[in-house]
């Protein structure tokens, strides 16, 4: 299948999963994860109306998105990979949504940069639902205090929570935990679900799914 056909296929699956869950298909945003793919691979999806994209590395995104954003107004770019403090300024300048706020130091750096640059970035707190030592994210027990720090003390626009479940586990309980934590903290957005499990995530309330290989092919 072509990239256009794969995009159409994913959209169809989102609609079907939403209907099966008794949800409005429009309530789920598709973040097309274009990491490792260059502008030539991305343009056909923009031509098909895709406007929200995810990248996991600041430097790689800087190489392709300024041009693509100049060509098409109103594209929305999400950072979905780990961020170092020394890249906070670059990330704030390029991305519209940063989904990987995962520690106090980066939260402070992002809040300060957003203010300095006058950028109204929306943020997600990344939660390490599986408490995996090698994975970034706030431990479930610490989400309440971390959301309070970001939202109340740093005045960040915290929109929701994001997670990446352990690869070798049933993702359902992780999605359910993320949904519960969001509700407890008065957050309405849930970024969860990738190519292998986005339909499951929709069943658990995902408001955005981050889909890469199912659209662009294997990396
Ligand atoms: C790469 C990536 C995705 C997309 O993964 P696919 O399995 O290719 O859909 C989603 N979320 C994050 C955080 C990623 O790094």
């Amino acid at each position: 299948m072509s990239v256009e056909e794969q995009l159409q296929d994913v959209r169809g699956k989102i609609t079907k999963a939403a209907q099966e869950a008794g949800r409005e298909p429009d309530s789920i945003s598709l973040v097309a994860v274009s990491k490792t793919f260059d502008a030539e691979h991305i343009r056909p999806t923009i031509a098909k109306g895709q406007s929200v994209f995810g990248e996991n590395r600041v430097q790689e995104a800087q190489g392709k998105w300024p041009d693509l954003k100049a060509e098409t107004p109103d594209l929305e770019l999400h950072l979905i990979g780990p961020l170092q403090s020394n890249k906070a300024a670059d990330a704030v300048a390029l991305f519209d949504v940063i989904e990987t706020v995962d520690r106090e130091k980066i939260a402070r750096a992002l809040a300060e940069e957003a203010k300095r640059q006058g950028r109204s970035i929306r943020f997600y707190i990344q939660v390490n639902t599986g408490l995996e030592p090698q994975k970034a994210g706030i431990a479930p027990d610490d989400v309440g205090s971390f959301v309070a720090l970001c939202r109340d003390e740093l005045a960040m626009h915290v929109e929701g929570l994001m997670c990446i479940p352990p690869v070798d586990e049933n993702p359902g309980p992780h999605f359910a935990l993320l949904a519960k934590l969001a509700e407890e903290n008065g957050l309405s957005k849930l970024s969860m679900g990738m190519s292998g499990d986005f339909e499951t995530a929709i069943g658990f309330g995902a408001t955005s799914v981050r889909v890469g290989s199912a659209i662009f092919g294997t990396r």
Side-chain angles (χ1 to χ4, degrees), residues 112-130:
E112 193 178 312
E113 271 306 323
K115 198 170 162 199
R116 199 178 63 82
Q117 297 183 30
R119 295 264 297 146
S120 53
I121 313 277
R122 285 131 60 204
F123 295 99
Y124 283 70
I125 309 300
Q126 183 172 350
V127 182
N128 191 354
T129 56

Side-chain angles (χ1 to χ4, degrees), residues 4 19 87 112 123 145 174 176 189 209:
E4 289 97 324
Q19 284 163 347
K87 292 270 172 59
E112 193 178 312
F123 295 99
S145 58
H174 297 272
K189 301 288 175 100
V209 293

